[in-house]
Amino acid sequence: MIKQPAYRMKKAIISSSFLFCALLAAPQAQAQESIDVLIHENGTERREIIDLPQSMTYPMDSLLNDWKVKNYIDLSKDCSTSTVNPQFSDDVYIDRLSRMPTVMEMSYNEITRKFIDMYTGRLRNQVAFMLSASNFYMPIFEEALDAYVLPLELKYLPIIESALNPSAVSRAGASGLWQFMLNTGKIYGLESNSLVDERRDPIKATWAAARYLKDMYAIYQDWNLVIAAYNCGPDTINKAIRRAGGKTDYWEIYNYLPRETRGYVPAFIAANYVMTYYCNHNICPLDMNILEATDTVQVNRNLHFEQIADICGIDMAQIKSLNPQYKKNIIPGDSKPQTLRLPINQISTFIDKQDTIYAHRSDELFKNRKVVAVADTHRTAHSSKGSSTSSGDVTYHKIRSGETLSTIARKYGVTVNQLKSWNGLKGTNINAGKRLKIYK
């Protein structure tokens, strides 16, 4: 196993200058931003480009689109975040980092300093947002990390991964708060198909991330390497260790890492710093209202968000925000039981009215027919009409609450049009207690 090096503070002799692209309006489609670093080493100079984590390039507008943000964070009030960012000496930063109650190593050097400057300077409005948005997610993160006996400072990893944006998608296709890639997500039990992507589920993805981090620590026994592996994958870390002659210190394999991973650990340290010492930099959280309590119910049949919204009177945007794992507003309960999260005061309404909810607009919203009738072009229109109206033995079906023509047709292996023809129905509305004539 790789042994964990002793705790130390590093102050590298590095001078840096920033080289930024224009603010990205659509970061998924644009070139990645970077910092240009001039490193002085053994009397020589070398220039190095470090790619910024994508979360540091998200414009504020993209972070404020979530329903929870719009309804619980009060953007109309000035939270008194100042435009003035006090400057501190290296010794002050070293002292503050050393006093943070962390298990993980919080090393300091000029690269770390530049990431602190970014969060407290250019990104100070994003920090004000994340301080408020953290109320949505930090209790979830802390519960999972505590259950797996992991350092609680890992709760700030999603700040680097997604800027606490639950709908974030990376250039490489990673998704959700914890930015799981598709295959890694599946390994850790996160279902992904055309209708469901559990990488977007804050709770399931958090517990999967905790298991992944614990597995990585079992391999490396060094949190800096674990964090780096979270960014670029263990194969890349193992390759860097081999190229560095077997060295297992992050800063000693630094030059063998991808450009973004070189800045990933310093960015993580800077995120921990700014979420702890934001007041010292005249940053304050945006005003936030009290969160509405929610709970979950199990869904055992296919269900569309519009059915819930229509019958329960819940805003579609709220349903989407509470259930981000469903990609097409459809809960595929027919395949296996699925979880639906709703405001707690709507749970009893859903349970009491679930038969009505499932039946509501089902023919319109679910158009994947299980059985279809194929027209026989060799038969005359007359004979075809006769077979649809009165062929075979007749039976009668008493309509039960929640049933639709579609469900009844599937039960008897006939079509909706046949049911309508046999019973003189012009539309699809039926009433519980009535009887339908069915020819076998």
Side-chain angles (χ1 to χ4, degrees):
M1 304 296 286
I2 300 173
K3 293 184 179 180
Q4 183 179 13
Y7 180 87
R8 65 251 180 235
M9 280 289 175
K10 293 187 174 72
K11 183 177 178 182
I13 307 175
I14 302 174
S15 63
S16 310
S17 62
F18 282 94
L19 182 64
F20 293 118
C21 307
L23 186 63
L24 303 182
Q28 293 91 333
Q30 301 293 331
Q32 188 163 356
E33 292 194 36
S34 60
I35 55 174
D36 188 2
V37 183
L38 187 64
I39 300 178
H40 295 83
E41 197 172 56
N42 299 325
T44 63
E45 291 183 350
R46 62 183 174 88
R47 182 187 177 196
E48 184 170 339
I49 305 296
I50 301 175
D51 289 340
L52 298 180
Q54 188 174 346
S55 64
M56 299 183 103
T57 70
Y58 289 149
M60 274 294 290
D61 287 350
S62 70
L63 302 178
L64 301 176
N65 283 332
D66 186 64
W67 184 91
K68 292 189 295 294
V69 172
K70 291 178 179 178
N71 284 270
Y72 291 111
I73 295 180
D74 192 345
L75 303 177
S76 65
K77 295 182 180 178
D78 182 3
C79 72
S80 75
T81 289
S82 170
T83 57
V84 177
N85 177 28
Q87 298 298 307
F88 301 100
S89 68
D90 290 340
D91 289 338
V92 170
Y93 287 125
I94 292 172
D95 179 62
R96 287 176 180 172
L97 286 168
S98 69
R99 288 189 286 109
M100 289 169 55
T102 63
V103 172
M104 299 173 67
E105 177 186 353
M106 297 290 160
S107 302
Y108 181 81
N109 55 32
E110 278 298 322
I111 302 176
T112 305
R113 168 67 182 260
K114 292 304 179 183
F115 278 99
I116 291 176
D117 288 345
M118 283 192 68
Y119 276 125
T120 59
R122 171 192 169 187
L123 301 178
R124 59 196 291 106
N125 289 331
Q126 280 89 329
V127 172
F129 157 78
M130 289 187 290
L131 286 166
S132 292
S134 65
N135 289 290
F136 301 137
Y137 305 114
M138 289 305 163
I140 299 171
F141 300 163
E142 290 172 348
E143 181 181 4
L145 294 171
D146 183 64
Y148 281 95
V149 197
L150 298 173
L152 290 184
E153 48 267 34
L154 286 167
K155 66 187 178 183
Y156 296 129
L157 192 57
I159 288 177
I160 311 303
E161 287 293 326
S162 62
L164 298 183
N165 180 2
S167 60
V169 178
S170 77
R171 286 173 285 266
S175 184
L177 288 167
W178 292 89
Q179 290 291 279
F180 269 100
M181 293 295 289
L182 188 65
N183 289 337
T184 307
K186 287 183 176 180
I187 291 171
Y188 284 86
L190 299 177
E191 180 182 4
S192 293
N193 54 49
S194 296
L195 297 178
V196 179
D197 187 352
E198 291 183 340
R199 296 177 297 167
R200 302 179 183 182
D201 184 322
I203 296 175
K204 289 185 178 180
T206 295
W207 285 83
R211 293 194 300 274
Y212 179 83
L213 290 166
K214 192 172 185 70
D215 288 347
M216 288 298 100
Y217 187 75
I219 295 172
Y220 295 113
Q221 296 291 302
D222 182 288
W223 283 115
N224 278 344
L225 293 183
V226 170
I227 294 299
Y230 196 96
N231 176 251
C232 66
D235 288 344
T236 303
I237 296 300
N238 294 340
K239 185 187 297 184
I241 290 173
R242 289 194 298 270
R243 293 176 64 192
K247 295 177 181 178
T248 58
D249 178 83
Y250 170 81
W251 296 104
E252 291 181 324
I253 70 170
Y254 173 88
N255 290 325
Y256 303 101
L257 294 171
R259 282 171 33 168
E260 183 175 320
T261 308
R262 294 175 189 177
Y264 195 77
V265 170
F268 174 76
I269 295 169
N272 271 267
Y273 171 87
V274 76
M275 296 298 280
T276 303
Y277 294 108
Y278 56 89
C279 284
N280 297 86
H281 292 269
N282 294 333
I283 301 173
C284 74
L286 297 175
D287 285 346
M288 185 171 177
N289 300 315
I290 297 175
L291 292 173
E292 184 178 14
T294 63
D295 203 350
T296 59
V297 291
Q298 289 295 105
V299 173
N300 297 299
R301 286 181 275 174
N302 287 349
L303 184 64
H304 198 285
F305 285 180
E306 290 189 28
Q307 294 173 298
I308 305 168
D310 288 351
I311 303 301
C312 295
I314 308 174
D315 185 3
M316 272 284 289
Q318 183 177 14
I319 300 173
K320 290 180 182 181
S321 179
L322 293 176
N323 301 275
Q325 66 271 34
Y326 300 116
K327 298 159 68 173
K328 303 295 184 181
N329 298 341
I330 295 174
I331 304 174
D334 277 358
S335 60
K336 71 174 188 179
Q338 303 282 356
T339 299
L340 169 66
R341 182 170 294 277
L342 294 173
I344 198 167
N345 60 359
Q346 293 286 354
I347 292 292
S348 59
T349 303
F350 178 87
I351 294 172
D352 292 342
K353 297 183 177 181
Q354 58 183 313
D355 287 339
T356 302
I357 294 170
Y358 285 119
H360 177 66
R361 297 173 59 194
S362 61
D363 290 341
E364 171 194 348
L365 296 170
F366 297 103
K367 296 180 179 180
N368 288 331
R369 296 172 293 175
K370 305 299 185 293
V371 179
V372 294
V374 181
D376 186 350
T377 58
H378 298 290
R379 299 177 62 187
T380 65
H382 175 76
S383 62
S384 177
K385 180 179 178 181
S387 66
S388 69
T389 55
S390 59
S391 61
D393 296 332
V394 67
T395 187
Y396 292 89
H397 174 84
K398 186 175 181 179
I399 303 170
R400 291 175 295 187
S401 176
E403 287 189 318
T404 66
L405 287 182
S406 294
T407 59
I408 297 170
R410 287 198 297 269
K411 179 177 180 180
Y412 290 94
V414 298
T415 68
V416 171
N417 284 336
Q418 285 176 314
L419 288 178
K420 291 167 64 178
S421 176
W422 293 332
N423 294 275
L425 300 174
K426 293 183 179 181
T428 58
N429 292 331
I430 55 176
N431 298 316
K434 299 291 186 180
R435 294 171 61 185
L436 290 177
K437 182 189 301 182
I438 300 171
Y439 288 94
K440 294 186 178 180

